[in-house]
């Protein structure tokens, strides 16, 4: 069997894998990307399309800022338009007690580049008169916006191909191992791919590959619930999302320039990982309609014309896995983005290319290290710290 060689082999053709392939080629690497189905078919192509930084875990903002700088350079960067609109993003709440949380987030040093503005009461409704009367406050991020997720991963993959990458769809990976300092990937059609570096960007299936190297990640899979309305005159450029402690109140919407209103949030489904299918929950669609009545009363009579779902993976701490393996040299990961990876896509690709090329990155990614899921070492009695009868709130 003749091996097909490259500098970097990427398994998984979502946004992270496609962006990584592009930026690796920009750094002069030979790259092969293998996707079992179609580029961007699962989480990358079916999400809401939020290009937002506000509301993220503060530890993600350094990466999100790097990604935002790249979003601003589209389409010059890749030669294609992803319909990115930096139209602003509002994070609103029904509970006045949560306004303090919005202020605290805006005041955090990590959020200084977001230029957040917290608005409440009469001032909020004068500025956003379309919001329902139950809305008490909100945080406005002027630089955030939205884009078309169906376009993103395929566009980056095409740009990677133009830059010299080999991108193959419909290729199922059967076995991954490292032999004599080289990664070897065997596919279902009997081919062998080899590379000095391996990047796993396989989304909800990422742990299936990482556990072959002794680094399992406890992923849960969920199907996001999405809907879109009939087109109406374009008048809502700002993305709106609800910040709440009540799960069924989680709702967000954006209007695209063609007039349709895209809606997400609410109950999630459990995908069938054998058939690789996720279903829409009727109760979720009904809940979205009910919640939209509260958030955007003017939308009450609009018709829903399409609903869909996808397959997303979630980690226990709601943070992704990004970075180098803790056990195997030349092995890297970028998966488990917990339903909020779309904005991070270009930044993750750029960071992984930098990390693979230089062994380090200027962006703070330590909280996303896969080793946080490794079992804690068992200490001897001499090494064990004395018991503390206090608790620490993180």
């Amino acid at each position: 069997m003749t091996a097909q060689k490259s500098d970097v082999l990427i398994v998984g053709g979502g946004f992270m894998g496609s962006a990584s392939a592009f930026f690796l080629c920009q750094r002069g690497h030979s790259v092969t990307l293998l996707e079992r189905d179609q580029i961007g078919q699962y989480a990358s192509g079916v999400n809401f399309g939020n290009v937002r930084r506000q509301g993220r875990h503060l530890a993600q903002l350094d990466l999100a800022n790097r990604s935002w700088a790249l979003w601003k350079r589209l389409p010059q960067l890749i030669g294609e338009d992803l319909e990115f609109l930096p139209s602003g993003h509002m994070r609103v709440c029904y509970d006045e007690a949560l306004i303090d949380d919005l202020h605290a987030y805006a005041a955090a040093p990590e959020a200084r580049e977001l230029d957040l503005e917290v608005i409440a009461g009469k001032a909020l409704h004068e500025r956003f008169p379309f919001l329902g009367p139950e809305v008490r406050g909100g945080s406005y991020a002027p630089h955030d916006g939205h884009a078309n997720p169906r376009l993103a991963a395929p566009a980056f993959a095409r740009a990677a191909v133009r830059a010299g990458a080999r991108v193959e769809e419909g290729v199922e990976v059967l076995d991954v191992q490292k032999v004599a300092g080289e990664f070897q990937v065997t596919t279902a059609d009997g081919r062998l791919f080899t590379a000095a570096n391996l990047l796993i960007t396989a989304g909800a299936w990422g742990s299936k590959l990482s556990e072959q190297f002794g680094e399992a990640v406890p992923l849960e899979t969920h199907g996001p619930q999405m809907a879109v309305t009939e087109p109406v005159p374009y008048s809502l450029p700002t993305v709106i999302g609800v910040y709440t402690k009540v799960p069924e109140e989680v709702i967000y919407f954006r209007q695209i320039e063609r007039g349709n209103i895209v809606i997400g949030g609410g109950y999630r489904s459990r995908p069938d990982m054998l058939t690789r299918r996720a279903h829409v929950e009727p109760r979720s669609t009904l809940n979205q309609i009910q919640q939209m009545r509260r958030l955007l009363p003017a939308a009450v009579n609009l018709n829903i014309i399409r609903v869909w779902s996808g397959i997303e993976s979630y980690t226990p701490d709601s943070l992704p896995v990004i970075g180098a393996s803790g056990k195997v040299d030349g092995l890297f990961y970028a998966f488990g983005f917990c339903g909020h990876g779309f904005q991070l896509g270009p930044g993750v690709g750029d960071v992984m290319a930098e990390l693979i090329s230089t062994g380090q990155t200027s962006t703070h990614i330590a909280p996303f290290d896969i080793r946080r899921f490794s079992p804690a070492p068992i200490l001897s009695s001499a090494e064990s710290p004395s018991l503390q009868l206090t608790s620490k709130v993180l």
Side-chain angles (χ1 to χ4, degrees):
M1 183 186 303
T2 301
Q4 301 176 55
K5 296 180 179 291
S6 57
D7 296 336
V8 185
L9 181 60
I10 302 173
V11 178
F15 201 176
M16 308 308 168
S18 298
S20 297
F22 171 75
F23 286 108
L24 282 162
C25 287
Q26 293 291 297
R27 288 177 175 266
H29 293 281
S30 61
V31 179
T32 298
L33 186 156
L34 304 179
E35 165 55 43
R36 177 177 54 189
D37 292 298
Q38 293 181 317
I39 296 294
Q41 181 171 337
Y42 295 105
S44 296
V46 301
N47 62 81
F48 177 69
N50 230 346
V51 183
R52 66 166 177 88
R53 290 176 293 170
Q54 82 156 327
R56 292 186 174 278
H57 192 291
L58 292 174
Q60 287 189 9
L61 287 182
D62 190 32
L63 176 59
N65 290 339
R66 180 168 180 166
S67 197
W68 179 68
L70 294 167
W71 276 104
K72 289 194 300 179
R73 293 172 53 197
L74 300 177
Q76 293 82 6
L77 180 67
I78 60 172
E80 297 193 40
D81 183 10
L82 305 187
E83 298 180 5
F84 171 51
L85 292 174
S87 55
H89 178 276
M90 273 294 291
R91 192 180 184 211
V92 302
C93 61
Y94 301 124
D95 185 350
E96 289 187 359
L98 297 181
I99 297 176
D100 288 341
D101 290 355
L102 300 179
H103 279 291
Y105 189 92
E110 296 91 338
R112 61 185 177 275
E113 292 187 27
L114 278 61
D115 296 328
L116 298 177
E117 178 186 2
V118 178
I119 318 167
K122 182 180 179 181
L124 174 70
H125 287 277
E126 287 179 346
R127 187 160 170 184
F128 300 95
F130 53 82
L131 292 173
E134 292 183 66
V135 178
R136 297 289 186 260
S139 173
Y140 179 64
H143 311 303
D144 289 353
H146 58 97
N148 190 335
R150 296 178 64 186
L151 303 179
F156 266 90
R158 287 189 291 267
V161 170
R162 290 193 292 270
R166 177 178 187 166
V167 176
E168 293 201 26
E169 297 177 304
V171 178
E172 183 175 2
V173 171
L174 293 183
D175 181 65
V176 180
Q177 55 184 306
K178 189 174 185 181
V179 179
E182 187 175 63
F183 291 97
Q184 297 184 354
V185 171
T186 304
T187 63
D189 58 5
R191 288 183 291 169
L192 176 65
F193 294 85
T194 65
N197 299 283
L198 174 65
L199 172 58
I200 294 173
T201 55
W205 295 270
S207 186
K208 296 293 185 183
L209 296 173
S210 68
E211 65 186 18
Q212 295 185 32
F213 297 98
E215 296 181 299
V217 176
L219 290 182
E220 284 194 1
T221 56
H222 295 287
Q225 302 294 292
M226 307 298 303
V228 64
T229 74
E230 61 187 313
V232 291
Y234 183 64
S235 59
L236 303 168
T238 304
V239 182
I240 307 289
V242 176
Y243 169 52
T244 176
K245 307 294 186 182
V246 182
E248 59 265 28
E249 290 182 345
V250 175
I251 194 80
Y252 32 88
F253 74 84
R254 64 185 178 94
Q255 187 178 25
I256 61 177
E257 291 186 318
R258 290 183 292 276
N260 308 80
I261 297 175
V262 182
I263 304 167
Y267 305 105
R268 297 175 301 198
S269 63
R270 182 72 68 177
D272 185 329
M273 298 303 288
L274 293 178
T275 62
R276 304 196 291 277
R277 292 291 183 268
H279 302 283
V280 170
E281 290 278 359
R283 67 168 184 158
S284 182
T285 304
L286 292 173
N287 180 66
Q288 288 174 344
I289 293 171
Q290 293 169 356
Q291 295 301 325
M292 284 295 285
R293 287 194 181 106
R294 301 175 67 191
L295 185 59
L296 183 66
V300 66
N301 292 321
L302 293 184
N303 293 308
I304 300 293
I305 61 173
R306 187 166 68 91
V307 294
W308 69 95
S309 186
I311 300 178
E312 297 176 336
S313 58
Y314 290 73
T315 62
D317 58 9
S318 296
L319 294 176
V321 174
I322 308 174
S325 164
K327 293 188 175 184
V328 181
D329 289 341
L331 176 61
F332 302 86
Y333 304 113
F335 64 86
F337 284 84
C338 307
H340 52 245
F342 184 65
Q343 189 274 348
L344 299 177
V348 170
D350 199 24
V351 163
M352 297 315 299
E354 179 187 27
L355 185 61
I356 292 170
S357 298
T358 69
Q360 59 187 359
T361 176
S362 57
T363 297
H364 182 57
I365 61 170
F368 318 132
D369 195 302
I370 196 170
R371 286 172 290 186
R372 71 187 190 273
F373 297 113
S374 300
I378 299 175
L379 303 179
S380 67
S381 58
E383 298 170 317
S384 300
S386 57
L387 293 176
Q388 301 292 320
L389 300 180
T390 60
S391 61
K392 181 179 179 182
V393 179
L394 300 179

